[in-house]
Short mmCIF file of all heavy atoms in Angstrom, two decimals:
data_model
loop_
_atom_site.label_atom_id
_atom_site.label_comp_id
_atom_site.label_asym_id
_atom_site.label_seq_id
_atom_site.Cartn_x
_atom_site.Cartn_y
_atom_site.Cartn_z
N LEU R 18 42.37 10.21 -39.76
CA LEU R 18 43.21 11.33 -40.20
C LEU R 18 42.47 12.64 -40.02
O LEU R 18 43.06 13.64 -39.58
CB LEU R 18 43.62 11.14 -41.66
CG LEU R 18 44.60 10.00 -41.94
CD1 LEU R 18 44.75 9.77 -43.44
CD2 LEU R 18 45.94 10.26 -41.28
N ARG R 19 41.18 12.67 -40.33
CA ARG R 19 40.39 13.90 -40.15
C ARG R 19 40.29 14.25 -38.67
O ARG R 19 40.41 15.43 -38.29
CB ARG R 19 39.00 13.73 -40.77
CG ARG R 19 38.13 14.97 -40.67
CD ARG R 19 38.80 16.14 -41.38
NE ARG R 19 38.14 17.38 -41.08
CZ ARG R 19 37.73 18.23 -42.00
NH1 ARG R 19 37.91 17.99 -43.28
NH2 ARG R 19 37.15 19.34 -41.64
N LEU R 20 40.10 13.25 -37.81
CA LEU R 20 40.05 13.50 -36.37
C LEU R 20 41.38 14.06 -35.87
O LEU R 20 41.40 14.99 -35.06
CB LEU R 20 39.69 12.21 -35.62
CG LEU R 20 39.58 12.32 -34.11
CD1 LEU R 20 38.47 13.29 -33.71
CD2 LEU R 20 39.33 10.94 -33.51
N LEU R 21 42.47 13.54 -36.36
CA LEU R 21 43.80 14.05 -36.02
C LEU R 21 43.92 15.52 -36.41
O LEU R 21 44.29 16.36 -35.59
CB LEU R 21 44.87 13.21 -36.71
CG LEU R 21 46.32 13.68 -36.60
CD1 LEU R 21 46.83 13.53 -35.18
CD2 LEU R 21 47.19 12.88 -37.55
N ALA R 22 43.58 15.84 -37.65
CA ALA R 22 43.66 17.22 -38.14
C ALA R 22 42.72 18.14 -37.36
O ALA R 22 43.08 19.27 -37.00
CB ALA R 22 43.37 17.28 -39.63
N ASP R 23 41.50 17.68 -37.10
CA ASP R 23 40.53 18.48 -36.34
C ASP R 23 41.03 18.76 -34.93
O ASP R 23 40.88 19.88 -34.41
CB ASP R 23 39.18 17.78 -36.28
CG ASP R 23 38.43 17.76 -37.60
OD1 ASP R 23 38.83 18.48 -38.55
OD2 ASP R 23 37.46 16.98 -37.69
N THR R 24 41.63 17.77 -34.31
CA THR R 24 42.14 17.94 -32.93
C THR R 24 43.29 18.93 -32.91
O THR R 24 43.36 19.79 -32.02
CB THR R 24 42.55 16.57 -32.35
OG1 THR R 24 41.43 15.68 -32.40
CG2 THR R 24 43.03 16.73 -30.91
N VAL R 25 44.18 18.85 -33.88
CA VAL R 25 45.27 19.82 -33.97
C VAL R 25 44.70 21.23 -34.09
O VAL R 25 45.13 22.15 -33.39
CB VAL R 25 46.21 19.50 -35.16
CG1 VAL R 25 47.17 20.65 -35.44
CG2 VAL R 25 46.97 18.21 -34.90
N GLN R 26 43.69 21.40 -34.93
CA GLN R 26 43.08 22.72 -35.10
C GLN R 26 42.44 23.22 -33.81
O GLN R 26 42.56 24.40 -33.46
CB GLN R 26 42.05 22.69 -36.23
CG GLN R 26 41.39 24.02 -36.49
CD GLN R 26 42.34 25.09 -37.00
OE1 GLN R 26 43.45 24.80 -37.45
NE2 GLN R 26 41.93 26.34 -36.94
N GLU R 27 41.76 22.34 -33.09
CA GLU R 27 41.15 22.73 -31.82
C GLU R 27 42.19 23.24 -30.83
O GLU R 27 41.96 24.24 -30.14
CB GLU R 27 40.39 21.55 -31.22
CG GLU R 27 39.13 21.20 -31.98
CD GLU R 27 38.52 19.88 -31.52
OE1 GLU R 27 38.95 19.34 -30.48
OE2 GLU R 27 37.61 19.40 -32.22
N VAL R 28 43.33 22.57 -30.76
CA VAL R 28 44.39 23.00 -29.84
C VAL R 28 44.94 24.36 -30.29
O VAL R 28 45.19 25.24 -29.46
CB VAL R 28 45.50 21.94 -29.74
CG1 VAL R 28 46.68 22.46 -28.92
CG2 VAL R 28 44.96 20.65 -29.13
N LEU R 29 45.12 24.56 -31.59
CA LEU R 29 45.59 25.85 -32.08
C LEU R 29 44.63 26.96 -31.68
O LEU R 29 45.05 28.06 -31.31
CB LEU R 29 45.75 25.82 -33.60
CG LEU R 29 46.94 25.02 -34.13
CD1 LEU R 29 46.83 24.87 -35.64
CD2 LEU R 29 48.24 25.66 -33.75
N LEU R 30 43.34 26.70 -31.76
CA LEU R 30 42.35 27.71 -31.36
C LEU R 30 42.38 27.94 -29.85
O LEU R 30 42.28 29.08 -29.39
CB LEU R 30 40.95 27.26 -31.79
CG LEU R 30 40.68 27.26 -33.29
CD1 LEU R 30 39.38 26.53 -33.60
CD2 LEU R 30 40.66 28.67 -33.85
N ASP R 31 42.52 26.87 -29.08
CA ASP R 31 42.45 26.95 -27.62
C ASP R 31 43.67 27.61 -26.98
O ASP R 31 43.53 28.39 -26.04
CB ASP R 31 42.28 25.57 -27.00
CG ASP R 31 40.91 24.96 -27.28
OD1 ASP R 31 40.00 25.69 -27.73
OD2 ASP R 31 40.75 23.74 -27.05
N VAL R 32 44.88 27.27 -27.45
CA VAL R 32 46.08 27.71 -26.73
C VAL R 32 47.08 28.51 -27.56
O VAL R 32 48.06 29.00 -27.00
CB VAL R 32 46.82 26.52 -26.07
CG1 VAL R 32 45.92 25.74 -25.15
CG2 VAL R 32 47.44 25.61 -27.12
N PHE R 33 46.84 28.64 -28.87
CA PHE R 33 47.85 29.26 -29.72
C PHE R 33 47.34 30.52 -30.39
O PHE R 33 47.98 31.06 -31.29
CB PHE R 33 48.34 28.25 -30.76
CG PHE R 33 49.77 28.41 -31.18
CD1 PHE R 33 50.81 28.41 -30.26
CD2 PHE R 33 50.08 28.54 -32.52
CE1 PHE R 33 52.13 28.53 -30.67
CE2 PHE R 33 51.41 28.67 -32.94
CZ PHE R 33 52.42 28.67 -32.00
N ALA R 34 46.19 30.99 -29.98
CA ALA R 34 45.60 32.24 -30.49
C ALA R 34 45.38 32.22 -32.00
O ALA R 34 45.48 33.25 -32.66
CB ALA R 34 46.45 33.45 -30.09
N ALA R 35 45.05 31.05 -32.54
CA ALA R 35 44.69 30.99 -33.96
C ALA R 35 43.30 31.60 -34.12
O ALA R 35 42.40 31.29 -33.34
CB ALA R 35 44.71 29.55 -34.46
N PRO R 36 43.11 32.46 -35.09
CA PRO R 36 41.80 33.05 -35.31
C PRO R 36 40.79 32.01 -35.81
O PRO R 36 41.17 31.09 -36.54
CB PRO R 36 42.04 34.11 -36.39
CG PRO R 36 43.51 34.35 -36.39
CD PRO R 36 44.14 33.07 -35.97
N PRO R 37 39.52 32.14 -35.44
CA PRO R 37 38.50 31.23 -35.97
C PRO R 37 38.47 31.30 -37.50
O PRO R 37 38.75 32.34 -38.09
CB PRO R 37 37.20 31.77 -35.39
CG PRO R 37 37.61 32.58 -34.20
CD PRO R 37 38.98 33.12 -34.52
N ARG R 38 38.13 30.19 -38.13
CA ARG R 38 38.05 30.06 -39.60
C ARG R 38 39.39 30.35 -40.27
O ARG R 38 39.45 30.76 -41.41
CB ARG R 38 36.95 30.94 -40.18
CG ARG R 38 35.57 30.48 -39.78
CD ARG R 38 34.45 31.13 -40.58
NE ARG R 38 34.70 31.28 -42.00
CZ ARG R 38 34.47 30.36 -42.93
NH1 ARG R 38 34.01 29.18 -42.58
NH2 ARG R 38 34.70 30.60 -44.20
N ASP R 39 40.46 30.14 -39.54
CA ASP R 39 41.80 30.36 -40.06
C ASP R 39 42.50 29.01 -40.00
O ASP R 39 43.27 28.74 -39.08
CB ASP R 39 42.52 31.40 -39.19
CG ASP R 39 43.73 31.97 -39.89
OD1 ASP R 39 43.78 31.93 -41.13
OD2 ASP R 39 44.63 32.45 -39.19
N ARG R 40 42.18 28.15 -40.95
CA ARG R 40 42.68 26.78 -40.92
C ARG R 40 43.44 26.49 -42.21
O ARG R 40 42.87 26.47 -43.29
CB ARG R 40 41.53 25.80 -40.77
CG ARG R 40 41.96 24.37 -40.62
CD ARG R 40 40.79 23.49 -40.27
NE ARG R 40 41.22 22.12 -40.05
CZ ARG R 40 40.44 21.19 -39.55
NH1 ARG R 40 39.18 21.47 -39.24
NH2 ARG R 40 40.88 19.97 -39.38
N TYR R 41 44.73 26.24 -42.05
CA TYR R 41 45.60 25.89 -43.17
C TYR R 41 46.41 24.67 -42.74
O TYR R 41 47.32 24.79 -41.91
CB TYR R 41 46.52 27.05 -43.54
CG TYR R 41 45.73 28.24 -44.02
CD1 TYR R 41 45.30 29.21 -43.13
CD2 TYR R 41 45.38 28.36 -45.36
CE1 TYR R 41 44.54 30.29 -43.57
CE2 TYR R 41 44.62 29.43 -45.81
CZ TYR R 41 44.21 30.40 -44.90
OH TYR R 41 43.46 31.45 -45.34
N GLN R 42 46.05 23.51 -43.27
CA GLN R 42 46.71 22.26 -42.89
C GLN R 42 47.05 21.47 -44.15
O GLN R 42 46.25 21.40 -45.08
CB GLN R 42 45.81 21.41 -42.01
CG GLN R 42 45.48 22.04 -40.67
CD GLN R 42 44.53 21.18 -39.85
OE1 GLN R 42 43.61 20.58 -40.37
NE2 GLN R 42 44.76 21.14 -38.54
N VAL R 43 48.22 20.86 -44.14
CA VAL R 43 48.64 19.95 -45.20
C VAL R 43 48.97 18.62 -44.53
O VAL R 43 49.87 18.56 -43.69
CB VAL R 43 49.89 20.48 -45.94
CG1 VAL R 43 50.32 19.50 -47.02
CG2 VAL R 43 49.62 21.86 -46.52
N LEU R 44 48.21 17.59 -44.85
CA LEU R 44 48.42 16.28 -44.26
C LEU R 44 49.06 15.38 -45.31
O LEU R 44 48.50 15.20 -46.39
CB LEU R 44 47.09 15.70 -43.79
CG LEU R 44 47.22 14.54 -42.82
CD1 LEU R 44 46.07 14.56 -41.84
CD2 LEU R 44 47.30 13.22 -43.53
N THR R 45 50.22 14.83 -44.98
CA THR R 45 50.95 13.99 -45.92
C THR R 45 51.21 12.64 -45.28
O THR R 45 51.70 12.56 -44.15
CB THR R 45 52.30 14.65 -46.30
OG1 THR R 45 52.05 15.96 -46.81
CG2 THR R 45 53.04 13.83 -47.34
N GLU R 46 50.90 11.59 -46.04
CA GLU R 46 51.21 10.23 -45.60
C GLU R 46 52.48 9.78 -46.33
O GLU R 46 52.64 9.99 -47.53
CB GLU R 46 50.07 9.28 -45.93
CG GLU R 46 48.82 9.54 -45.11
CD GLU R 46 47.75 8.51 -45.38
OE1 GLU R 46 47.04 8.66 -46.38
OE2 GLU R 46 47.67 7.55 -44.58
N HIS R 47 53.37 9.16 -45.58
CA HIS R 47 54.65 8.68 -46.11
C HIS R 47 54.68 7.15 -46.04
O HIS R 47 54.22 6.58 -45.05
CB HIS R 47 55.82 9.24 -45.30
CG HIS R 47 55.84 10.73 -45.27
ND1 HIS R 47 56.49 11.48 -46.22
CD2 HIS R 47 55.27 11.63 -44.41
CE1 HIS R 47 56.34 12.77 -45.95
NE2 HIS R 47 55.60 12.89 -44.86
N ARG R 48 55.23 6.52 -47.05
CA ARG R 48 55.36 5.07 -47.02
C ARG R 48 56.19 4.66 -45.80
O ARG R 48 57.07 5.42 -45.36
CB ARG R 48 56.01 4.57 -48.31
CG ARG R 48 55.08 4.68 -49.51
CD ARG R 48 55.61 3.91 -50.68
NE ARG R 48 56.92 4.38 -51.09
CZ ARG R 48 57.16 5.10 -52.18
NH1 ARG R 48 56.19 5.43 -52.98
NH2 ARG R 48 58.39 5.47 -52.47
N PRO R 49 55.92 3.46 -45.26
CA PRO R 49 56.73 2.99 -44.13
C PRO R 49 58.22 3.09 -44.44
O PRO R 49 58.66 2.77 -45.54
CB PRO R 49 56.28 1.53 -43.98
CG PRO R 49 54.86 1.54 -44.49
CD PRO R 49 54.88 2.51 -45.65
N GLY R 50 58.98 3.57 -43.47
CA GLY R 50 60.41 3.73 -43.62
C GLY R 50 60.83 5.09 -44.16
O GLY R 50 62.02 5.40 -44.18
N GLN R 51 59.87 5.92 -44.57
CA GLN R 51 60.20 7.24 -45.13
C GLN R 51 59.99 8.39 -44.15
O GLN R 51 60.25 9.53 -44.50
CB GLN R 51 59.40 7.49 -46.40
CG GLN R 51 59.81 6.60 -47.53
CD GLN R 51 59.11 6.95 -48.82
OE1 GLN R 51 58.08 7.60 -48.83
NE2 GLN R 51 59.69 6.53 -49.92
N LEU R 52 59.54 8.09 -42.96
CA LEU R 52 59.40 9.10 -41.91
C LEU R 52 60.31 8.63 -40.77
O LEU R 52 59.99 7.69 -40.05
CB LEU R 52 57.94 9.21 -41.46
CG LEU R 52 57.57 10.36 -40.54
CD1 LEU R 52 57.91 11.70 -41.17
CD2 LEU R 52 56.08 10.30 -40.23
N ILE R 53 61.45 9.26 -40.66
CA ILE R 53 62.48 8.80 -39.73
C ILE R 53 62.69 9.87 -38.66
O ILE R 53 63.07 11.00 -38.96
CB ILE R 53 63.80 8.54 -40.49
CG1 ILE R 53 63.57 7.50 -41.58
CG2 ILE R 53 64.91 8.13 -39.52
CD1 ILE R 53 64.70 7.39 -42.58
N CYS R 54 62.44 9.51 -37.42
CA CYS R 54 62.63 10.43 -36.30
C CYS R 54 63.27 9.67 -35.14
O CYS R 54 62.62 8.83 -34.51
CB CYS R 54 61.30 11.03 -35.84
SG CYS R 54 60.57 12.15 -37.02
N GLU R 55 64.51 9.96 -34.89
CA GLU R 55 65.19 9.34 -33.76
C GLU R 55 64.89 10.14 -32.50
O GLU R 55 64.22 11.16 -32.54
CB GLU R 55 66.67 9.21 -34.07
CG GLU R 55 66.91 8.26 -35.25
CD GLU R 55 68.37 8.04 -35.57
OE1 GLU R 55 69.24 8.73 -34.99
OE2 GLU R 55 68.63 7.17 -36.42
N ASP R 56 65.42 9.70 -31.40
CA ASP R 56 65.03 10.29 -30.11
C ASP R 56 65.97 11.37 -29.59
O ASP R 56 65.80 11.83 -28.46
CB ASP R 56 64.86 9.20 -29.07
CG ASP R 56 66.18 8.57 -28.64
OD1 ASP R 56 67.21 8.88 -29.27
OD2 ASP R 56 66.18 7.79 -27.68
N THR R 57 66.96 11.80 -30.36
CA THR R 57 67.89 12.85 -29.97
C THR R 57 68.59 12.53 -28.65
O THR R 57 68.93 13.42 -27.89
CB THR R 57 67.16 14.22 -29.89
OG1 THR R 57 66.31 14.36 -31.02
CG2 THR R 57 68.12 15.38 -29.87
#
Side-chain angles (χ1 to χ4, degrees):
L18 291 171
R19 182 59 192 232
L20 181 61
L21 174 68
D23 288 348
T24 303
V25 168
Q26 181 65 16
E27 289 170 11
V28 173
L29 287 170
L30 291 168
D31 291 347
V32 303
F33 211 56
R38 293 193 41 86
D39 197 24
R40 185 172 184 170
Y41 297 90
Q42 296 177 321
V43 179
L44 196 147
T45 305
E46 292 185 278
H47 302 271
R48 288 193 301 253
Q51 292 186 340
L52 190 58
I53 302 167
C54 291
E55 295 183 352
D56 71 352
T57 316

